[in-house]
């Protein structure tokens, strides 16, 4: 077979290794070729891709249809009931075979996997979330080595554990066992340390995978190796940052060694150690003079330092390196007159966290590309976010994702992988959880982006407030003990041991360890809007110290829907559209909210467009309300930024990473400087939120205009905006403001000016959209070529509400969309696309809200 040999590159945690002699100290080969797979009870071997999974390999071999297309998912539920075999053959040269140690390093096996080398069982894995390393030297030969992995059905294994338990754990309602045709509709997902969303969720399909989902390496080395490098920041001031480098070194013998630390090629520290046999830790202190601080997006730069640790044993040098950012991050919980704070302080500065919840980018993790990860993180950065919450029903992301967040200044709220279910607490399960926590904390702890470790998603609140405790009946104590063992002992102890500088939060939402959320002491998930059918205006009043979840649904845009549906499906209540909607109250709830504020759309495509606007306008109320409430509220993370398949969901970008209206609104709503007009208690108020760490002297203008642009009211005042603040700068009785003005055809325009330049703006309507007397605008536009695509100028003599620009099925990105074009104003939009001008003119179209009914 062809071997992919990477010399001078080590394995674990992106470590690197080299030596000064001709023969490499460490050899690493990725075993990614010549793989085949077969169903266990058949002898039908087909080519396989590694990393990959059974579903993607079946799809590539045209044995199944696209699971995302129409209703195909329903016909693929047999796959997870089968056992599957993967195998490959490989040769190894004398350079590998002569090494003292040879190991197989599996970065991810999904999930119940028995590994055989030349017919000998060398490993039985049972946790998707950890890497597995096993010594195999004694089993290897120079030619014709066979590596075989038997993946046992996660459903069959789950059923064994479910039936042996003696009672049913409450929760796991997102496990779509009925769709999955599981015996007795038993929800077995909680028994397996595997991504929960594979079993279904209220935004995802049920496609329960098996396979080699992350790379496999063959490693060979002599004498010693660095297995981990941790950089601990001890002290920080303007002049110096002090650190301890902790090296985990595995040595085959007791020997004298030198450790040299460098920042790239600049020496930091050196020391001698007597290495002991086995795997031990060795520490060395160092300093960085005049440190450059790492800041969250919007507050400064993100300088990164590469720390190299050289282990020199008898002239053989092994090198490990990690990038770090120099900063402090604290979760501040202090008593005040209202309760207890919950906010993040970065480099000593309280920072309002602006962001979203993040789920896996595909139901099949192995096919998520670096380009996709780059796009979602760039979307967060470009949308003025500074935090993403990696939600606990998916998986611990690829290290590249965290690298990108480091570079973009996106802090990560990192859930452990537990969500919306009570879990077992037996000895084997707890042991597996301990190893999972250890593995992932050590893997990720050097990233400056990691802000918080969180035990679980919504389990505490569900136990107490969703009726789970009542359902547990005579097993209450046993189930609750399992909960406290995992989330009050195992996980916080792991954080304290392996990453003590960071905070641990046991459950989101909560008000403290074991304390249900109460709005005054911790974080909250607000679902009164959507599940409770409460009005959008409640977003601005139901506010906790940190809003870590809330959201509203929309379908993908028409261009995306056409990729998984056909014209006969173009009805929100068709079987296909209902299947690509997993919320139990989904499509009817979208329609319910839409008809509160909008006229009934005339057709399916109009419905999708209005749905986008509806979602965006609703979440706009939340974003602005949360930010106005700072410093009481210090975080707003909506649900969710992305999708794992094409579906109606709460996402702001769809599965194909197309921006919905919500993403454009989020970008504006999270601007560092926000001017926010709103109505409260029959008063018109205008607040300004300033996230910047400097104050601003500015002029605030208010203009009341009709939909033809005639100005009926104008107010201007100079204001001083304090740094990192939120305050109301204008307030008046609404009746006095409106006076004899017809609220059905007038709007308020507010703006901030600095030296005559507009630095922030917003608008406010006084009636629901369906009550507005919207004109029918004629949009004049011209298109000119630019370096990255095109510049489009648009103008209208009357209000053009929620302009939606499209280029058909073509690929491109508009700098703004779904915006209101005010009368007689010119707006310039940049379009990035590879389309020619001729093609663009044929496909470009402009849609406005008045044309939807």
């Amino acid at each position: 077979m062809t071997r992919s040999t990477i010399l001078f590159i080590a394995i674990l945690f992106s470590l690197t290794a080299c030596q000064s002699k001709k023969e490499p100290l460490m050899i690493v080969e990725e075993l990614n070729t010549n793989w085949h797979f077969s169903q266990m009870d058949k002898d039908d071997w087909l080519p396989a891709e590694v990393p990959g999974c059974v579903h993607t390999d079946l799809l590539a071999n045209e044995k199944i249809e696209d699971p995302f297309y129409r209703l195909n998912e329903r016909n693929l539920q047999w796959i997870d009931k089968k056992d599957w075999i993967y195998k490959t053959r490989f040769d190894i040269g004398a350079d590998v075979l002569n090494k003292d140690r040879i190991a197989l390093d599996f970065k991810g096996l999904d999930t119940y996997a028995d590994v055989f080398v030349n017919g000998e069982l060398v490993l039985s894995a049972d946790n998707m979330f950890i890497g597995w390393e096993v010594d195999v030297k004694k089993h290897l030969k120079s030619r014709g080595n066979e590596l075989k992995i038997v993946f046992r059905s996660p459903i069959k294994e789950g059923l064994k554990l479910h039936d042996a338990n003696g009672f049913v754990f409450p929760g796991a309602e997102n496990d779509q066992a009925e769709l999955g045709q599981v015996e007795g509709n038993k929800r077995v997902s909680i028994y397996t340390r595997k991504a929960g969303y594979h079993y279904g969720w209220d935004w995802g399909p049920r496609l329960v995978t098996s396979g080699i989902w992350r790379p496999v390496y063959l490693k060979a080395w002599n004498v010693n190796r660095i297995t981990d490098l941790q950089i601990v920041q001890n002290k920080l001031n303007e002049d110096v940052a002090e650190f301890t480098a902790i090296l985990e070194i595995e040595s085959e013998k007791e020997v004298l060694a030198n450790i040299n630390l460098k920042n790239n090629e600049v020496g930091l520290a050196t020391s001698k150690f007597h290495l002991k046999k086995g795997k031990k830790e060795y520490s060395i202190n160092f300093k960085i003079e005049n440190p450059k601080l790492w800041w969250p997006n919007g507050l400064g730069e993100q300088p990164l330092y590469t720390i190299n640790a050289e282990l020199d044993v008898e002239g053989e040098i092994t090198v490990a390196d990690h990038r770090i950012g120099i900063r402090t991050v604290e979760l501040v919980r202090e008593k005040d007159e209202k309760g207890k704070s919950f906010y993040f302080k970065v480099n000593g500065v309280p920072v309002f966290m602006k962001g979203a919840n993040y789920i896996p980018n595909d139901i099949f993790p192995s096919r998520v590309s670096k380009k996709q990860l780059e796009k979602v993180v760039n979307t967060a950065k470009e949308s003025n976010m500074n935090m993403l919450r990696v939600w606990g029903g998916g998986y611990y992301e690829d290290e590249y994702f965290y690298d990108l967040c480091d570079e973009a200044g996106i802090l990560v709220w990192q859930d452990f992988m537990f969500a919306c279910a009570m879990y077992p607490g037996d000895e084997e399960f707890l042991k597996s959880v301990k190893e999972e926590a250890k593995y992932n904390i050590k893997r990720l702890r050097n990233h400056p982006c990691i802000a918080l470790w969180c035990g679980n998603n919504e389990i505490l609140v569900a136990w107490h407030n969703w009726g789970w405790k009542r359902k547990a009946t005579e097993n209450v104590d046993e189930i609750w003990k399992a909960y406290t063992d995992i989330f009050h002992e195992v996980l916080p102890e792991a954080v304290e041991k392996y990453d003590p500088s960071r905070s641990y939060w046991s459950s989101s939402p909560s008000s403290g360890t074991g304390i249900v959320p109460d709005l005054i002491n911790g974080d909250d998930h607000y679902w009164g809007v959507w599940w409770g059918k409460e009005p959008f205006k409640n977003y601005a009043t139901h506010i906790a110290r940190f809003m870590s979840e809330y959201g509203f649904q929309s379908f993908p845009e028409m261009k995306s829907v056409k990729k998984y549906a056909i014209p006969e499906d173009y009805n929100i209540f068709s079987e296909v559209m209902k299947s690509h909607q997993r919320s139990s109250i989904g499509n009817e709830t979208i329609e319910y909210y839409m008809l509160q504020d909008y006229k009934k759309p005339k057709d399916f495509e109009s419905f999708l467009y209005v749905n986008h606007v509806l979602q965006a306008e609703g979440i706009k109320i939340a974003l602005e309300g949360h930010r106005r409430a700072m410093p009481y509220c210090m975080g707003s993370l909506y649900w969710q930024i992305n999708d794992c398949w094409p579906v109606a969901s709460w996402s702001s970008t769809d599965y194909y990473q197309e921006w919905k209206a919500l993403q454009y609104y989020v970008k504006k709503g999270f601007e560092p400087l926000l001017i926010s007009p709103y109505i409260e208690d029959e008063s018109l108020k205008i607040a300004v939120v300033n996230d910047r760490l400097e104050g601003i002297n500015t002029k605030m203008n208010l203009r009341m205009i009709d939909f033809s642009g005639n100005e009926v009211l104008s107010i201007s005042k100079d204001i001083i905006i304090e740094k990192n603040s939120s305050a109301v700068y204008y307030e008046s009785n609404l009746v006095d403001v409106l006076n004899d003005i017809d609220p059905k055809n007038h709007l308020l325009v507010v703006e901030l000016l600095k030296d005559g330049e507009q630095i922030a703006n917003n608008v406010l309507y006084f009636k629901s959209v369906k009550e507005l007397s919207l004109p029918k605008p004629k949009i004049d536009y011209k298109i000119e070529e630019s370096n990255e695509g095109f510049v489009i100028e648009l103008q209208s003599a009357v209000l053009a509400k929620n302009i939606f620009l499209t280029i058909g099925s073509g690929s491109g990105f508009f700098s703004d969309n779904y915006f209101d074009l005010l009368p007689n104003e010119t707006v310039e939009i940049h379009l990035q696309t590879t389309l020619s001008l001729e093609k663009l003119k044929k496909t470009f179209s402009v849609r406005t809200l008045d044309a939807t009914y």
Side-chain angles (χ1 to χ4, degrees):
M1 62 172 283
T2 302
R3 295 193 304 168
S4 173
T5 302
I6 310 168
L7 303 184
F8 311 113
I9 298 179
I11 21 227
L12 203 51
F13 309 109
S14 301
L15 304 180
T16 60
C18 66
Q19 71 164 12
S20 56
K21 298 179 180 180
K22 292 182 179 180
E23 183 186 357
L25 181 63
M26 173 76 76
I27 298 177
V28 181
E29 302 176 4
E30 184 173 357
L31 302 180
N32 59 0
T33 59
N34 199 34
W35 284 93
H36 291 77
F37 80 113
S38 175
Q39 192 173 311
M40 183 74 167
D41 53 0
K42 295 183 178 180
D43 190 23
D44 184 15
W45 293 95
L46 298 167
E49 179 123 356
V50 171
C53 73
V54 173
H55 289 76
T56 54
D57 287 328
L58 288 170
L59 184 62
N61 284 280
E62 299 182 346
K63 296 298 182 180
I64 61 172
E65 300 294 327
D66 180 1
F68 294 171
Y69 186 69
R70 303 195 76 216
L71 302 175
N72 286 346
E73 171 205 7
R74 298 179 181 180
N75 300 322
L76 305 180
Q77 298 306 311
W78 61 273
I79 297 172
D80 60 30
K81 318 299 185 302
K82 304 296 183 181
D83 299 334
W84 299 87
I85 305 176
Y86 279 74
K87 68 179 182 180
T88 187
R89 301 185 77 85
F90 60 95
D91 301 330
I92 55 177
D95 57 339
V96 173
L97 207 55
N98 291 336
K99 293 293 185 182
D100 296 334
R101 299 280 301 279
I102 307 175
L104 282 171
D105 183 13
F106 300 93
K107 296 301 185 185
L109 294 172
D110 178 16
T111 292
Y112 295 104
D114 295 326
V115 180
F116 298 84
V117 175
N118 293 327
E120 296 291 329
L121 178 65
V122 298
L123 171 68
S124 288
D126 60 359
N127 189 318
M128 174 183 175
F129 302 126
I130 65 178
W132 302 87
E133 184 180 288
V134 58
D135 289 328
V136 293
K137 179 177 173 63
K138 66 180 180 181
H139 303 292
L140 294 176
K141 52 191 179 182
S142 60
R143 300 186 62 81
N145 294 285
E146 182 187 66
L147 173 58
K148 182 174 72 174
I149 307 176
V150 177
F151 289 97
R152 305 192 306 279
S153 160
I155 302 303
K156 291 192 293 187
E157 294 298 318
L159 282 169
K160 293 177 188 175
L161 295 166
H162 177 283
D163 294 346
N165 190 62
F167 63 87
V168 176
F169 284 89
E173 286 92 348
N174 289 294
D175 184 333
Q176 299 165 12
E178 184 174 1
L179 171 64
Q181 303 164 28
V182 180
E183 170 194 316
N185 296 332
K186 297 172 182 175
R187 294 169 176 160
V188 301
S189 56
I190 63 167
Y191 297 97
T192 299
R193 294 311 296 147
K194 173 176 171 57
Y197 82 114
H198 283 162
Y199 298 81
W201 219 268
D202 58 5
W203 37 257
R206 182 185 174 92
L207 294 164
V208 186
T209 61
S210 292
I212 307 167
W213 75 289
R214 278 179 170 159
V216 183
Y217 297 100
L218 184 72
K219 310 182 305 184
W221 69 97
N222 288 332
V223 187
N224 59 73
R225 60 172 177 159
I226 303 173
T227 54
D228 185 49
L229 170 63
Q230 180 186 11
I231 308 299
V232 178
Q233 183 177 298
N234 301 317
K235 182 181 177 181
L236 175 63
N237 58 44
E238 290 184 2
D239 300 320
V240 66
E242 298 182 3
F243 302 87
T244 299
I246 304 174
L247 288 84
E248 184 181 80
I249 299 171
E250 185 178 34
S251 182
E252 296 298 300
K253 62 182 180 180
E254 294 191 6
V255 64
L256 183 65
N258 289 329
I259 296 178
N260 299 307
L261 296 181
K262 297 179 181 179
N263 170 28
N264 291 323
E265 294 304 316
V266 178
L268 296 172
T270 184
S271 186
K272 293 184 181 295
F273 292 89
H274 286 279
L275 300 185
K276 297 179 181 179
K277 188 174 181 179
K279 189 180 290 185
K280 306 291 181 183
E281 288 185 349
Y282 306 87
S283 299
I284 182 170
N285 296 323
F286 67 95
K287 298 178 180 180
I288 294 178
E289 306 287 344
N290 303 313
K292 297 178 180 179
L293 295 186
W294 184 98
W295 286 95
N297 182 37
L299 294 183
E301 301 300 318
Q302 294 80 41
L304 297 170
Y305 294 78
T306 300
I307 306 301
N308 308 93
E310 293 184 353
L311 174 65
D312 186 338
V313 179
E314 299 173 345
E316 294 184 330
I317 297 176
T318 304
V319 180
D321 62 70
H322 268 300
R323 288 195 314 179
I324 64 168
I326 301 176
R327 88 289 180 272
T328 61
V329 176
E330 308 167 63
L331 175 63
V332 180
R333 305 209 64 231
E334 296 174 339
K335 288 185 178 181
D336 56 28
E337 68 279 4
K338 295 180 179 178
K340 204 170 188 179
S341 67
F342 187 105
Y343 69 91
F344 292 90
K345 185 183 286 188
V346 183
N347 298 328
V349 176
V351 179
F352 188 100
M353 291 301 156
K354 302 177 293 188
N357 287 262
Y358 171 91
I359 66 170
N361 289 289
D362 200 300
I363 194 67
F364 306 123
S366 59
R367 70 180 186 184
V368 177
S369 67
K370 286 189 173 182
K371 185 177 180 180
Q372 285 174 288
L373 294 175
E374 290 164 3
K375 189 164 184 179
V376 72
V377 173
N378 187 62
T379 289
K381 181 177 181 178
E382 292 300 312
S383 299
N384 298 299
M385 295 184 188
N386 56 23
M387 177 172 275
L388 291 173
R389 174 183 175 226
V390 177
W391 166 80
Y395 54 84
Y396 307 91
E397 257 297 350
D398 186 87
E399 191 134 355
Y400 187 61
F401 169 82
Y402 302 96
D403 287 338
L404 293 170
C405 289
D406 291 341
E407 295 165 4
I410 304 298
L411 288 164
V412 173
W413 169 313
Q414 179 66 55
D415 280 6
F416 288 100
M417 292 301 116
F418 299 88
C420 299
M422 302 304 287
Y423 289 83
D426 58 89
E427 184 178 349
E428 283 300 310
F429 192 86
L430 293 180
K431 180 181 177 183
S432 185
V433 171
K434 287 179 183 178
E435 289 302 312
E436 173 186 322
K438 175 183 176 182
Y439 178 81
N440 286 289
I441 293 171
K442 291 177 69 174
R443 182 171 70 95
L444 302 178
R445 62 189 174 186
N446 286 315
H447 288 278
C449 66
I450 300 292
L452 177 77
W453 296 98
C454 180
N456 69 72
N457 175 76
E458 295 187 341
I459 301 177
L460 178 73
V461 69
W463 175 254
H464 288 287
N465 296 352
W466 298 1
W468 289 7
K469 188 175 181 179
R470 291 193 303 275
K471 292 177 183 177
T473 60
E474 68 269 18
N475 303 110
V476 167
D477 292 342
E478 183 178 351
I479 295 171
W480 181 245
K481 184 180 186 306
Y483 177 92
T484 58
D485 284 348
I486 296 171
F487 304 111
H488 297 175
E489 294 184 20
V490 170
L491 294 180
E493 287 173 5
V495 173
E496 177 62 29
K497 182 175 182 179
Y498 300 111
D499 194 16
S501 68
R502 289 187 177 91
S503 294
Y504 170 80
W505 189 242
S506 63
S507 183
S508 180
S510 68
S511 291
T513 302
I515 306 172
V516 294
D518 58 13
L519 298 184
I520 61 174
N521 289 299
D523 72 318
D524 192 53
H525 297 185
Y526 175 51
W527 289 104
V529 174
W530 184 258
W531 291 106
K533 289 191 169 66
E534 296 175 13
F536 282 134
K537 66 180 182 180
N538 285 18
Y539 274 138
T541 56
H542 183 104
I543 296 178
R545 293 307 182 95
F546 196 104
M547 299 300 297
S548 47
E549 263 197 41
Y550 59 92
F552 190 86
Q553 275 201 355
S554 69
F555 280 90
E557 66 173 273
M558 195 68 198
K559 178 171 69 173
S560 295
V561 169
K562 287 179 178 179
K563 295 179 180 180
Y564 67 87
I566 59 177
E568 67 187 70
D569 305 324
Y570 295 169
N571 181 304
I572 66 166
F573 297 111
S574 71
E575 278 301 301
V576 168
M577 299 313 289
K578 286 193 295 183
S579 180
H580 287 254
Q581 161 64 273
R582 291 303 161 91
S583 172
S584 59
I585 63 168
N587 295 350
E588 60 268 27
T589 300
I590 293 174
E591 186 177 59
Y592 167 82
Y593 275 93
M594 185 181 292
L595 297 180
Q596 302 301 302
D597 290 327
Y598 295 83
K599 295 178 181 179
K600 187 174 182 178
K602 63 186 180 183
D603 54 34
F604 179 72
E605 188 167 358
S606 297
F607 184 95
L608 299 185
Y609 160 59
V610 177
N611 183 194
H612 276 214
V613 176
L614 172 73
Q615 179 194 34
E617 292 284 356
I619 299 303
K620 179 178 188 283
I621 296 171
L623 301 181
E624 295 191 13
H626 299 163
R627 294 189 68 191
R628 291 195 304 263
M630 73 175 291
Y632 179 83
C633 175
M634 286 296 287
S636 183
L637 310 180
Y638 68 88
W639 185 272
Q640 69 220 58
I641 192 173
N642 58 333
D643 273 328
C644 70
W645 77 313
V647 66
S649 81
W650 296 269
S651 69
S652 54
T653 66
D654 68 24
Y655 171 72
Y656 305 104
Q657 297 189 302
E658 300 285 349
W659 280 33
K660 299 181 181 180
L662 175 56
Q663 197 65 58
Y664 287 100
Y665 274 50
V666 165
K667 181 178 180 180
K668 296 171 186 174
F670 282 159
E671 284 279 2
L673 187 64
L674 170 72
I675 183 168
S676 175
Y678 63 107
I679 297 170
E680 182 180 76
D681 299 328
E682 300 303 318
S683 291
L684 170 65
K685 299 181 180 181
I686 300 176
V688 178
V689 183
N690 179 21
D691 289 337
R692 295 170 177 159
L693 304 183
E694 55 187 23
I696 308 171
N697 296 336
T698 182
K699 183 182 291 293
M700 182 171 70
N701 289 340
L702 290 69
R703 292 189 299 126
M704 186 80 73
I705 61 173
D706 66 17
F707 291 170
S708 295
N710 298 304
E711 189 177 282
V712 298
L713 174 68
S714 178
I715 299 173
S716 181
K717 61 183 294 191
D718 293 323
I719 61 174
I720 300 174
I721 305 168
E722 299 294 329
K723 67 179 182 179
N724 203 14
S725 68
S726 171
V728 173
Y729 289 86
Y730 177 87
E731 183 173 357
S732 180
N733 187 287
L734 184 61
V735 173
D736 295 336
V737 173
L738 292 177
N739 201 1
D740 294 327
I741 296 171
D742 184 357
K744 293 182 180 179
N745 59 16
H746 285 76
L747 73 150
L748 180 70
V749 182
V750 296
E751 63 179 355
L752 296 176
L753 299 177
K754 178 71 173 176
D755 300 326
E757 295 287 329
Q758 187 184 86
I759 56 176
N761 71 298
N762 212 333
V763 297
L764 177 69
Y765 295 88
F766 299 97
K767 290 290 183 179
S768 67
V769 178
K770 71 179 181 181
E771 296 178 280
L772 296 177
S773 301
L774 291 180
K776 293 192 175 297
K778 178 182 178 298
I779 311 295
D780 296 318
Y781 66 86
K782 63 179 181 179
I783 303 174
E784 294 184 353
E785 292 184 83
S786 67
N787 291 335
E788 295 185 348
F790 300 91
V791 176
I792 305 168
E793 279 192 2
L794 302 104
Q795 191 176 55
S796 171
V798 298
L799 173 69
K801 185 133 185 54
N802 297 117
I803 283 185
F804 176 40
L805 308 176
T806 63
I807 50 174
S809 60
S811 177
F813 178 76
F814 292 96
S815 60
D816 197 6
N817 219 336
Y818 300 93
F819 57 90
D820 291 351
L821 178 59
L822 300 183
N824 305 313
E825 293 191 3
T826 300
V827 172
E828 187 176 276
I829 303 298
H830 296 263
L831 169 62
Q832 295 177 4
T833 183
T834 56
L835 293 178
S836 66
L837 180 59
E838 181 182 8
K839 180 68 173 177
L840 177 61
K841 287 181 176 180
K842 292 179 181 179
T843 59
F844 179 75
S845 67
V846 182
R847 190 182 188 105
T848 52
L849 195 63
D850 61 281
T852 61
Y853 51 85

